């Protein structure tokens, strides 16, 4: 458990790093959302109904899972589908752990993760081509509410832990009800230098306005 001093230090460092950086300033289409409330270090967001392509992978850690899932989903949007259509890349790419019972591998230590690409707004479930890879599926996500915090730089387990603590402290203060595990979101291409990559950590919550 991080102390309040450690959380404060993380917040100061995060604010200094992200001050000149706008996570929405990207050449690719972004997942849409409305900001309901914003502080120096977190936002409460409302995401509309959204179509995603997703894949479940098992791996030792989140970073390996994200890389593996990214390749499968990139194959789909680059034409490995029943019509051969190319689908524009969007941001972010999200990764979330899933329940242990979802794991089918027998490898000790493996965890299951869901990796998702948001589909561009011009596509519908009717117009999207079916994936050739049976592990890639298309689904519609309902309206969701999220708490988010952001950073720029190398995504390490330690940094993720600090971001989790920041979100958890905010949620506890507001007595909000959470849904599922923390979601990590990456906004940049793999070719982007690690020190310049933009990340978010999100936690889904019940409707804070209800």
């Amino acid at each position: 458990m991080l102390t309040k001093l450690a959380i404060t230090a993380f917040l100061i460092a995060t604010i200094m790093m992200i001050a000149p950086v706008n996570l929405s300033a990207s050449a690719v289409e972004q997942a849409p959302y409305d900001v309901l409330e914003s502080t120096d270090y977190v936002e409460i967001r409302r995401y509309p109904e959204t179509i995603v392509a997703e894949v479940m992978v098992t791996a030792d850690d989140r970073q390996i899972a994200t890389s593996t899932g990214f390749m499968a989903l990139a194959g789909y949007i680059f034409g490995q589908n029943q019509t051969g259509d190319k689908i524009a890349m969007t941001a972010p790419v999200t990764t979330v752990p899933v329940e242990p019972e979802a794991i089918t591998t027998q490898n000790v230590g493996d965890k299951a993760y869901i990796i998702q690409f948001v589909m561009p707004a011009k596509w519908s479930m009717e117009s999207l081509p079916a994936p050739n890879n049976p592990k890639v599926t298309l689904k519609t996500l309902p309206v969701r509410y999220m708490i988010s915090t952001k950073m720029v730089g190398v995504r390490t387990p330690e940094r993720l832990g600090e971001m989790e603590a920041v979100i958890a402290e905010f949620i506890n203060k507001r007595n909000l009800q959470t849904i599922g595990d923390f979601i990590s979101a990456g906004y940049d291409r793999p070719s982007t230098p690690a020190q310049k990559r933009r990340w978010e950590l999100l936690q889904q919550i019940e409707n804070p306005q209800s």
Side-chain angles (χ1 to χ4, degrees):
M1 180 68 66
L2 292 178
T3 65
K4 289 187 176 181
L5 180 61
I7 293 174
T8 300
F10 165 75
L11 294 178
I12 293 172
T14 299
I15 291 168
M16 291 178 65
M17 284 192 300
I18 68 175
V21 179
N22 181 354
L23 283 178
S24 65
S26 174
V28 300
E29 183 176 337
Q30 304 271 320
Y33 60 82
D34 296 315
V35 177
L36 304 182
E37 182 179 340
S38 180
T39 74
D40 287 338
Y41 55 93
V42 300
E43 289 181 343
I44 301 179
R45 300 173 179 173
R46 178 189 182 276
Y47 286 80
E49 187 176 274
T50 308
I51 300 174
V52 297
E54 70 174 32
V55 62
M56 187 180 78
V57 301
T58 56
D60 288 340
D61 59 40
R62 187 186 293 256
Q63 189 68 39
I64 296 173
T66 301
S67 297
T68 303
F70 183 94
M71 296 303 295
L73 295 173
Y76 169 68
I77 67 171
F78 293 153
Q80 294 177 17
N81 54 64
Q82 289 189 4
T83 61
D85 284 340
K86 304 295 191 299
I87 301 168
M89 185 70 193
T90 65
V93 178
T94 62
T95 304
V96 61
V98 296
E99 293 300 319
E101 54 264 27
I103 302 176
T104 57
T105 179
Q106 299 299 309
N107 293 336
V108 176
D110 276 355
K111 299 178 182 178
Y113 299 85
I114 295 291
I115 294 83
Q116 293 178 337
F117 281 7
V118 174
M119 295 292 96
K122 75 172 189 176
W123 295 92
S124 66
M125 287 295 284
E126 291 72 31
S127 62
L128 280 165
N132 290 343
N133 184 345
K135 294 182 178 180
V136 175
T137 60
L138 303 174
K139 68 186 294 184
T140 301
L141 301 180
V143 172
R144 286 111 53 227
Y145 296 86
M146 300 280 187
I147 305 293
S148 73
T149 189
K150 63 187 74 172
M151 65 162 283
V152 176
V154 180
R155 187 181 69 180
T156 65
E158 292 75 21
R159 293 305 301 278
L160 286 175
E162 292 166 350
M163 296 168 80
E164 288 176 4
V166 167
I167 292 177
E169 183 179 53
F170 182 85
I171 286 173
N172 289 336
K173 284 183 177 179
R174 296 297 187 89
N175 197 29
L176 301 171
Q177 301 301 309
T178 62
I179 301 172
D181 210 323
F182 288 100
I183 303 165
S184 58
Y187 280 81
D188 295 295
R189 300 176 184 275
S191 57
T192 302
Q195 294 78 8
K196 296 183 178 181
R197 291 184 186 176
R198 301 161 299 157
W199 304 99
E200 289 186 333
L201 194 73
L202 305 105
Q203 171 71 73
Q204 186 174 353
I205 58 171
E206 299 283 357
N207 185 352
Q209 301 174 325
S210 60

